[in-house]
Amino acid sequence: MYNTSFIKKILLVATVVLFYSCDKDFNAIGDDLIGDNHFDLAPEKYDVLAYNQEITPIQSNGLAINGLGIYDNPVLGTTNGNFATQLTLVDYAPTIGEEPVVESVLLNIPYFSHVKSTNTDGSRVYELDSIFGAPEGNLKLSVYESGVQMRSSYFDNGSQLAQLYYTDQNADFDNFKKGNRLNDDPNVLQNDQFFFDAKELVDVTTDATTGKETTTRVAPEMRLNLNKDFFQAKILNAAASKLANGDAFQEYFRGLYFKAEKAGLKSNMALLDFSKGKITIKYKAKTAITTDAETVKEDKSLVINLAGAAVSLLNDTKNTNYDTAIKNPDNTNGDENLYLKGGQGSLAVIDLSNFATKLAEIRTNKWIVNEANLVFYVDSDKMKDSDYEPKRVYLYDLTNNVPLIDYSDGTSGFAGSDPKATRYIFGGLLEVDATTKRGKSYKVRITNHIRNLIKDATAVNVKLGLVVTESIDLVASNKLKNRIQINPNEYFSEAPRGSVMSPVGTILYGSKATVPDDKRLRLEVYYTKPN
């Protein structure tokens, strides 16, 4: 009897706590609560105001990856990507030896790639990633000594400020390049007809003592033979003080400038991690331990890394419709189409003012938000000629240049096998039509953002920005050269760095009343409503 009575008491207390918890949850207006028989799930749609915004010259130094080449986008225009970088010695104050003579100078920059298959002999078939444009495209590629000394900071009125470089500074580097191009090998595939080759590379080395050969298979990479006389004079014959430390070396050898030009009717662009690139100088020199000081020279090498300050130099030639749309936005009625493009491109501004007028009603009726989304539909007619569709878009707080609260609740692990599909609950991933195999829509979840607007009467209904992004995990912003006014009282002066890194774009349906109802951009909110 004692045990039964005790259990009944415990059950009574648990029941009271349960009802109290439910009542407490119900009164937290705007919070997530899936209803029981007393609630009905009902979707509501709200008009939004969405319009285009051009991104003018923007900071492009400090990017993790940079575009090199020419991408002819059939619907948006042509992007030309050049690049400049500082260099660093792997070992400063190197012991070069006496009477050094250059044997070879090789520049290596790895490509992004993956293995498609492996042959019976162990060789691998690769496919290049992050290549945009014609697969068979080629370029006139030139590598020059840079005459611009890139600095990480500067002083202004006694304050040390970060030195910024911008997408539109190609002329500064082109006008101050020094001498002839360094990749002057007679092989035209290394210069006048350069192409991004997916072929696996095979290196064979021979042991000087045993004569044994070792074969090494290397994933696809750029390999350029550089001018031996230049590096003989610039590095091997340099005064020791010029190679003594980083500051002295960067003042002496200011870096490299990569220039891409048209070589034919078809071209393309690759995204590269130049920081993994290096220059290997192989040479012979006498050293203190040489057995015969008069005649014998040893094989030696010196490595220079493509590291330090770097800048992506982008020039766009925009298609007429695209150029007109982003320079003449309708911030009163909204635009029919939203044009998104990375680099020095464009974004969309999204205003939820219509929803904000409903907040008092939602609070009074104690509606509880289960889910809230913005769904952006691809204009498949305008995008039909595009050879590439962005796999991801990024929605953020444009007013403050920070992620939305839902970004942090978006699950950092990736869905499926795609490492770029992180934060998949937050969304922004391209949904592909099963029949056409073309992009259909992008859905972004902003449930917590909407809940905050409902629960907190002091919360600011900020403007949202939508961009294409190369990496959803990168939320830092880059500075515009000049801030842009989007209405009489608001400006924006930054854009997401992940967008600057991407050369691609898309065309979406906007919010204007003339857009077909089933394609028009609206805020979709699912509530639990009391009966």
Side-chain angles (χ1 to χ4, degrees), residues 239-256:
S241 61
K242 303 297 184 182
L243 312 181
N245 56 63
D247 289 341
F249 182 68
Q250 288 175 5
E251 168 67 29
Y252 171 63
F253 192 178
R254 297 184 174 180
L256 296 179

Side-chain angles (χ1 to χ4, degrees), residues 369-516:
V369 174
N370 294 304
E371 186 175 340
N373 304 304
L374 286 169
V375 182
F376 301 88
Y377 292 95
V378 177
D379 189 330
S380 55
D381 288 338
K382 288 185 171 62
M383 284 291 291
K384 68 179 187 297
D385 294 327
S386 177
D387 59 348
Y388 186 89
E389 296 180 276
K391 298 295 187 291
R392 201 76 185 258
V393 296
Y394 170 54
L395 186 73
Y396 67 105
D397 176 346
L398 175 66
T399 302
N400 300 296
N401 292 300
V402 296
L404 297 174
I405 186 173
D406 294 271
Y407 176 87
S408 299
D409 191 33
T411 304
S412 57
F414 57 86
S417 60
D418 185 357
K420 290 190 175 183
T422 60
R423 303 189 186 276
Y424 53 88
I425 293 177
F426 178 53
L429 291 158
L430 179 65
E431 182 179 347
V432 177
D433 186 277
T435 303
T436 66
K437 307 302 181 184
R438 300 285 297 181
K440 183 169 64 175
S441 62
Y442 302 88
K443 182 171 78 171
V444 184
R445 179 181 182 269
I446 57 171
T447 307
N448 291 323
H449 177 70
I450 295 301
R451 287 174 184 161
N452 281 354
L453 291 177
I454 296 171
K455 289 191 292 183
D456 186 357
T458 65
V460 178
N461 182 28
V462 297
K463 284 187 170 56
L464 308 180
L466 185 74
V467 295
V468 297
T469 184
E470 178 60 26
S471 173
I472 195 69
D473 293 319
L474 184 60
V475 297
S477 292
N478 280 17
K479 299 284 188 181
L480 297 174
K481 181 178 282 190
N482 300 296
R483 69 175 187 168
I484 296 175
Q485 186 173 14
I486 55 178
N487 64 46
N489 300 311
E490 288 188 272
Y491 296 81
F492 84 98
S493 57
E494 300 178 18
R497 185 171 299 169
S499 178
V500 183
M501 290 161 49
S502 175
V504 301
T506 188
I507 305 174
L508 309 173
Y509 284 104
S511 64
K512 199 166 187 174
T514 52
V515 176

Side-chain angles (χ1 to χ4, degrees), residues 33-109:
L33 177 64
I34 301 300
D36 53 22
N37 292 334
H38 301 292
F39 300 86
D40 296 314
L41 193 63
E44 299 283 348
K45 292 187 178 182
Y46 301 92
D47 289 333
V48 303
L49 176 65
Y51 51 91
N52 292 294
Q53 177 59 63
E54 181 179 18
I55 296 177
T56 54
I58 187 168
Q59 173 196 351
S60 57
N61 61 312
L63 303 180
I65 56 177
N66 299 267
L68 179 66
I70 301 172
Y71 175 37
D72 291 315
N73 186 315
V75 297
L76 298 175
T78 298
T79 298
N80 191 311
N82 296 332
F83 177 76
T85 183
Q86 287 181 326
L87 304 172
T88 61
L89 287 174
V90 170
D91 297 304
Y92 288 103
T95 300
I96 291 176
E98 298 180 7
E99 301 177 20
V101 177
V102 171
E103 296 283 304
S104 66
V105 183
L106 185 65
L107 168 68
N108 305 67
I109 303 173

